[in-house]
Each structure stands twice: as structure tokens, then as C-alpha cells.
Amino acid sequence: MLDTVMFTLMFVVVLGIASQWFAWRFQMPAIVLMSIAGLLVGPIFGWIDPSESFGEMFSPIISLAVAIILFEGSLNLDFREIRGFNKPLYRIVTFGAFIAWVAGSLAAHYVAGLSFSVAFVIGGLFIVTGPTVILPLLRQAKLKPRPAAILKWEGIIVDPFGALLALFAFEAVMFIDGEVSLHAFLLFFAAAAFAVAIGWAAGWGLGWMFENGNVPEYLKSPIVFATVILAFVVANSVMHETGLLAVTAMGIVMANMHIASIGDMRHFKENISVLLISSIFVMLTASLERETLLQIFSLPIVLFVLTMIFIVRPLSIWLSTIGTDITWREKMLIGWIAPRGIVALTVSGYFASVLQESGFPDAEILIALTFALAFSTVIVHGFTIGPFAKKLNLASSEKPGVLLIGGNIFTTELAKSIHELGHEVCIMDQSWQHLSLARQQGIPTKVGEILSEQTEYNMDLTPYPILVAATEVDSYNALVCTNFVPELGRDALYQTALQHADMKDFHQSLGGKMLFDETSTIFHLNERIIRGQVFRKTQITEQYTFTQYLRERAEEALLLYILRANEKLEFFTANKELQASPGDTVVSLTPPVKEMAKRQERIEADRLKVIEEENE
């Protein structure tokens, strides 16, 4: 076994990120690949054992990683996001969580065979889903905003409360058995309040310092990073698992202070979280023992997992959302998706040991029980969330839509051509007047500032994975593209050619890909439309190849984009030549000569047909 600390650390990080890349490349659930990779290199082949390599540092590393991941998730919990559906969300994280606790505890006792005391504790822990599993699934499935927001908020809010609920259940069991005094039992609530106070104070204090210029820009992310660890450790030192509550409170406070630099911090934390999630999943699964893997296939554990997936979760969602405006489709999806992740795996190990020490021998199966539930839900929900959401019409269209920034003649005609090919499209501009032509053509429009923070909450950008900035201001186009690099990626961002030569050096490091060619400024494109040039769609076939099309096209024709046979849209750019294959459709902006010739040919063919019919 190669168990040196340096090798193990390298292997875990590389394997985790490689799993993420393979998941992206082959459109598979990332958490599934990470879990399988950990099992293969750990208990199955025995190449690494992180728990043995890291020794006493294993649990602290996992705990700190979970704290950072949970903070990053809570940093996205802006209350403006849940306007209009805060009632069902509140019911799910309160009444729904309580139902899941009671039903899960009953299932653990009557199905898995645990004693009431142990079942009562582990039932509280199993209400968690958490950002470590929910966020990768949402990134993969691309759900519509409301179900995605509900699942995200539920996962992040319930994550610390699930651990605290299990801790509360344990303290209650110890109090009923006479192992702890009433004073010690009440100390649990004081510790939870203390954790919230620490998180609130840390979040508000940092926000105030940032807004008043007391921290330089380059130190903001490092200071946040250090404060998260500080708040987690201080709260956890008072009572186990309350640190998760502290970092969640800290993130929510900072998210709702609307700090100017929150976006940069969020992107930094998101990158760190991807690295941590990848590594931690591999570490946990690679550290499992073979006996634990064999134990999860026992009949009571299998039946318990099935009960949790098909009865407990749907029941808690359907009962808790009675009387709300949440649709039956949303209930079906949310009631199905509840993967368990890192918090459940790590905290169950803690309770397995303390419960056994307290005289509950049946707690020895908690690790196997938790892993069975976590791995099963990760696999099942990872592979089904996308197809199930599409079946319920709660996923964005498979055909990539295009968001055009700037209302003018060219963007209107471009949007019309994309719309006619069956793809979603929208033109956005600050001016109502600039969008009048698009409205007349029946093209979806949106009046507003794409860079405004309000746009994120007032407009669903999920259907538009491609953005084209085509206003008359080059610097604004570049700013829009640069702003959306973290969300969409640079490969999905385009802007029209620069109007001034001295802007080209500026464009090398900022902005999106330059559309079409270096001469196609928005003024040049608008002028082409005014001169009567038209959008022409040409199907490439085995008989009519792309090479033949290029040879026969009009000299002034401008290649715009290709609609691939798999419905993928690709724009021609100044620095990349595209090749079309049979089944693809090439769209170009061409002089109307060929269109007039084709129209004349059709008229002549119709005339000859009429003559033939008269002769007959």
C-alpha cells in the first residue's frame, strides 16, 4: 500500500478533480464518479487508506472542509431569491424536516432493527442533504429556478440542523436515561444560540469592514477563509457540531448584506469548494473498510434504504407542502431528490462511537447504514434527476438558448433565425424603444440592465447558456462577457468586433470571443441588414458538402453560426474556423441575389406546372 501522506494527498486531489472532469466530459453525475473512484482505490484494490495515512488529522481535515463548503453554499442564500415561494420552503425545512425525523426514526427501528434510542438519534441526522451533494446535482441537471432554489436552500439550511437535531436527540436520550442532568441538557440550547451569535457577529463584522474600506481587496478572500475556520472551531469547541450552525449563519448574514465585493468572494469560495468536495468524497469512500461494504448488503439495511427513498422522503414533502402553491410536478421532483452526503457520513461516525461508549451496542452498524443510504441516494438521484426533471418539464431545454445583449436590427434578425430553428432566444436592453422591432417580430425581450444584481432574481437565465453582447459600446460588451465568465465559461461568451483598433490589446485579456471576423462591428452588421442582406440556412448533406458550400457561396456572404445535428449551436469567430458535417445547418448573412434567384426558380417551376396541367 502506498500510504505516505504526500502521495495520498496528491492521489486524492488528482483523482477527485479527474472524476469531475470525466463527469463533465461524458455528462455523468460527478458525485457518483467520485464515490466509485474512492471505493476502487480504497477498500476494493487497497491502494490508499486516507484515514490511516492522515491519522489524527483525518477527522479535523474533513470537518474543516465541510465547514468551508457549507459556508460557500450559505453565501448564496440571498433572501431575494425566494420571493414568492418562501412559504413552501419554510414548511419544508421545518414541518417537513420534523416529519422526516419521525418517519426516519420509525424506519430505523422497525425496518433496520435499531433500538428506539439509537433510531431516534440517527433519524435526526438523516434529514440532511447538504451542499456537497445537492449543488453538484443542480449544476448537472440545470433545473428551473424554483425547484432548484428550494432544493438548494433546503440542503444548506437543514445540513447544520440535521447534525444539531441528532445531537439534541442524543442529549435527550442521555437525560431520559439519567446520564446527564437537566442543566447539562439545557446547555445544548445555549451552545446552539452561542454558535448562531458567533456566526452572525463574524459575518456582520466582516461585511462592515469590507464596505468601509478597512480591508484591502487582495486580503478579503483570505480573511473570510480564516474567519470561517475561526468561527467553526470556536463554536465547535463549546459543543460538537455547532460549528456548522455558526458558518451557516455567517454565510447567510454576509449574503444578505449585499456587499459590493461578494461576487469575487463567492467565485473564489466556489472554486475552493469544488476542490474540497472532490477530495473529501474520495477520502471518505477510500477510507471505508471492506467489512462495511459487505455489511450494507444485509436485508435490513437494504429495506431501510428503500423505505427512506420511496416512503419517508416523498411523505415528508407532500405533507409539509399541503396548502402551498407548489405544483404537483415540483412536489414529485423535490420529494424524490434527497441525496445524503459528507455531513451524514462524518457525523454518523461520531455518534456510532459515543453511542457504543454509552451502552448501545447496536450503534455499531450506523456507519454501514449511513454509507448505504448515502451511496444509494447519490447513485439513484444522480442518474435520475436530469431525466426525471425533463419528464416533469422542470428542466431547462436541451437545446441551448441564446441571450442577446443589445436591441438593434441585426440582433433582431439573428434572434429570429435562432428562434425559427427551435431554440430559445431573448434580447435584453436597457431601452424599451430599442426593443420595439424585436417585439414586432414576436421575439422574447427583456428591458433591464444585465449587470444589475436584480437581474439575477427577476429573470431566469438558466435557458441561456450562450450570451452574445452586441451593443454599440465595445467596452460594455467586454464588461458583460467578463462578468459572466464564472457562470457560463469563456467559450460560451461572444461579442461583436471592436470598432477601434486600439481596443484590440484590451480585448486579449477581457471580453468574449470576437464574432464572425474582425471587420464585423455592430455598425457593419446593421448596415448589411439595411442593405437588404438576409439570413440564409443551408443544410449540409453527404451530397452537398461543406467544402462545396464554401466554394459556391456568395462572395459577400458572412458565416454566422452552425446548428449541429445534435442541436448544439456554435458561432463562427475571428480566431477559429468551424467545419460542418452532414446533418448540420449553416446560417449565413448573404446578399439577396440568391434568394431572388431561388424565388424566381420557384415561380418559374409553378408556372410550368400550371401549363402542364392545362395541356393534360
Side-chain angles (χ1 to χ4, degrees):
M1 179 187 295
L2 298 171
D3 59 355
T4 63
V5 175
M6 186 70 72
F7 177 85
T8 302
L9 183 61
M10 175 278 297
F11 199 71
V12 163
V13 172
V14 171
L15 190 60
I17 296 302
S19 300
Q20 290 272 11
W21 183 85
F22 273 101
W24 166 82
R25 182 66 179 82
F26 298 103
Q27 297 297 301
M28 296 178 65
I31 51 178
V32 173
L33 289 188
M34 290 183 287
S35 301
I36 293 176
L39 290 176
L40 290 175
V41 301
I44 294 179
F45 293 116
W47 293 344
I48 61 172
D49 185 350
S51 62
E52 182 179 321
S53 298
F54 294 121
E56 294 182 356
M57 290 299 297
F58 181 76
S59 293
I61 289 174
I62 298 290
S63 298
L64 290 176
V66 171
I68 295 168
I69 294 167
L70 193 56
F71 170 77
E72 188 275 327
S74 61
L75 202 60
N76 294 290
L77 299 185
D78 192 320
F79 289 118
R80 293 174 296 183
E81 184 181 9
I82 58 173
R83 290 173 182 170
F85 57 90
N86 53 349
K87 180 180 178 181
L89 177 62
Y90 174 76
R91 295 277 294 276
I92 288 173
V93 300
T94 53
F95 186 44
F98 178 76
I99 295 173
W101 179 25
V102 174
S105 299
L106 293 175
H109 175 68
Y110 289 106
V111 179
L114 297 176
S115 63
F116 264 119
S117 298
V118 177
F120 187 54
V121 174
I122 204 64
L125 179 61
F126 284 162
I127 71 171
V128 304
T129 52
T132 59
V133 282
I134 281 295
L135 296 184
L137 286 186
L138 296 181
R139 192 180 298 117
Q140 162 209 341
K142 297 180 180 178
L143 303 182
K144 289 185 177 179
R146 190 155 92 156
I150 291 175
L151 285 170
K152 180 183 75 174
W153 276 73
E154 181 203 10
I156 296 172
I157 291 177
V158 173
D159 218 33
F161 283 108
L164 287 176
L165 196 58
L167 188 61
F168 164 76
F170 174 73
E171 294 292 334
V173 167
M174 293 295 99
F175 173 70
I176 293 173
D177 288 350
E179 298 293 330
V180 298
S181 64
L182 177 62
H183 179 268
F185 178 58
L186 295 178
L187 186 63
F188 163 81
F189 298 98
F194 177 70
V196 173
I198 288 178
W200 181 89
W204 185 88
L206 282 183
W208 182 86
M209 292 174 65
F210 290 171
E211 288 297 273
N212 287 275
N214 294 319
V215 178
E217 201 66 32
Y218 75 96
L219 276 181
K220 287 184 177 179
S221 291
I223 286 179
V224 169
F225 189 85
T227 307
V228 168
I229 296 176
L230 174 65
F232 174 78
V233 172
V234 170
N236 239 32
S237 64
V238 175
M239 181 168 286
H240 199 71
E241 304 305 333
T242 56
L244 298 178
L245 191 61
V247 297
T248 303
M250 178 180 170
I252 293 177
V253 168
M254 295 188 70
N256 290 277
M257 290 180 71
H258 308 135
I259 304 168
S261 56
I262 194 74
D264 296 333
M265 287 187 291
R266 188 179 291 131
H267 298 323
F268 170 78
K269 293 291 182 183
E270 184 177 1
N271 293 334
I272 294 294
S273 292
V274 170
L275 180 64
L276 291 176
I277 290 173
S278 306
S279 304
I280 297 307
F281 256 104
V282 173
M283 287 177 62
L284 285 173
T285 52
S287 299
L288 290 170
E289 298 179 357
R290 293 182 183 179
E291 292 75 13
T292 303
L293 289 181
L294 296 175
Q295 195 175 16
I296 68 175
F297 294 105
S298 63
L299 183 60
I301 291 181
V302 171
L303 292 177
F304 172 76
V305 170
L306 294 176
T307 303
M308 292 294 290
I309 293 176
F310 291 100
I311 298 177
V312 174
R313 172 64 177 183
L315 181 68
S316 66
I317 295 300
W318 281 83
L319 290 180
S320 64
T321 54
I322 292 175
T324 66
D325 62 347
I326 192 170
T327 67
W328 69 268
R329 287 186 175 87
E330 292 170 331
K331 289 182 181 181
M332 289 282 290
L333 181 65
I334 297 170
W336 173 245
I337 303 301
R340 274 66 171 189
I342 293 174
V343 170
L345 288 171
T346 55
V347 178
S348 66
Y350 165 76
F351 283 112
S353 61
V354 297
L355 283 168
Q356 288 183 76
E357 291 173 1
S358 301
F360 298 97
D362 55 326
E364 65 178 359
I365 72 166
L366 288 188
I367 295 178
L369 192 70
T370 306
F371 178 76
L373 181 62
F375 192 69
S376 300
T377 53
V378 162
I379 293 286
V380 172
H381 298 150
F383 279 111
T384 60
I385 184 172
F388 195 43
K390 291 172 185 174
K391 188 74 174 177
L392 294 173
N393 196 28
L394 292 176
S396 58
S397 174
E398 292 184 20
K399 299 180 179 181
V402 181
L403 179 61
L404 299 164
I405 308 302
N408 48 63
I409 302 174
F410 172 75
T411 55
T412 299
E413 293 300 321
L414 177 62
K416 184 178 178 182
S417 73
I418 296 172
H419 187 68
E420 289 173 349
L421 290 172
H423 288 248
E424 293 196 49
V425 67
C426 180
I427 303 177
M428 189 172 190
D429 197 289
Q430 300 179 57
S431 170
W432 176 270
Q433 184 178 0
H434 290 174
L435 297 171
S436 59
L437 182 60
R439 289 195 301 273
Q440 293 171 15
Q441 298 283 346
I443 303 299
T445 61
K446 176 71 175 180
V447 179
E449 169 55 69
I450 186 62
L451 296 177
S452 170
E453 191 177 353
Q454 293 296 325
T455 301
E456 182 179 353
Y457 306 104
N458 297 329
M459 180 181 178
D460 178 17
L461 298 177
T462 306
Y464 310 109
I466 299 174
L467 184 146
V468 174
T471 71
E472 298 176 355
V473 183
D474 291 336
S475 57
Y476 179 77
N477 293 339
L479 182 61
V480 169
C481 291
T482 303
N483 185 74
F484 279 89
V485 167
E487 285 79 12
L488 301 180
R490 199 172 293 277
D491 289 340
L493 298 166
Y494 302 89
Q495 69 179 91
T496 48
L498 304 175
Q499 303 164 41
H500 305 288
D502 57 357
M503 289 281 290
K504 292 184 179 179
D505 292 338
F506 163 78
H507 182 264
Q508 296 299 318
S509 58
L510 296 175
K513 294 182 177 181
M514 190 178 296
L515 280 173
F516 317 135
D517 59 41
E518 294 184 354
T519 64
S520 296
T521 67
I522 189 61
F523 297 102
H524 178 68
L525 294 169
N526 285 334
E527 184 184 352
R528 278 177 173 263
I529 303 296
I530 293 172
R531 292 205 319 261
Q533 293 194 8
V534 295
F535 282 74
R536 185 182 181 195
K537 305 178 185 70
T538 305
Q539 184 81 23
I540 304 300
T541 64
E542 296 285 355
Q543 294 74 27
Y544 188 68
T545 64
F546 185 58
T547 303
Q548 185 178 352
Y549 165 77
L550 293 177
R551 186 169 57 246
E552 295 179 1
R553 69 189 173 110
E555 186 177 344
E556 291 184 45
L558 178 66
L559 300 177
L560 301 179
Y561 62 90
I562 296 177
L563 176 62
R564 300 293 185 186
N566 62 0
E567 299 294 344
K568 183 180 179 181
L569 274 174
E570 292 187 39
F571 283 91
F572 286 92
T573 62
N575 299 322
K576 183 178 180 181
E577 293 185 5
L578 299 179
Q579 296 294 322
S581 304
D584 296 344
T585 300
V586 180
V587 180
S588 60
L589 186 58
T590 66
V593 178
K594 285 194 174 184
E595 299 298 321
M596 293 297 293
K598 281 192 169 186
R599 190 178 295 115
Q600 190 63 39
E601 288 177 5
R602 287 195 296 269
I603 294 173
E604 184 65 20
D606 292 340
R607 188 181 68 82
L608 292 175
K609 185 177 180 180
V610 171
I611 293 174
E612 289 176 0
E613 290 176 352
E614 290 177 351
N615 291 337
E616 291 177 357

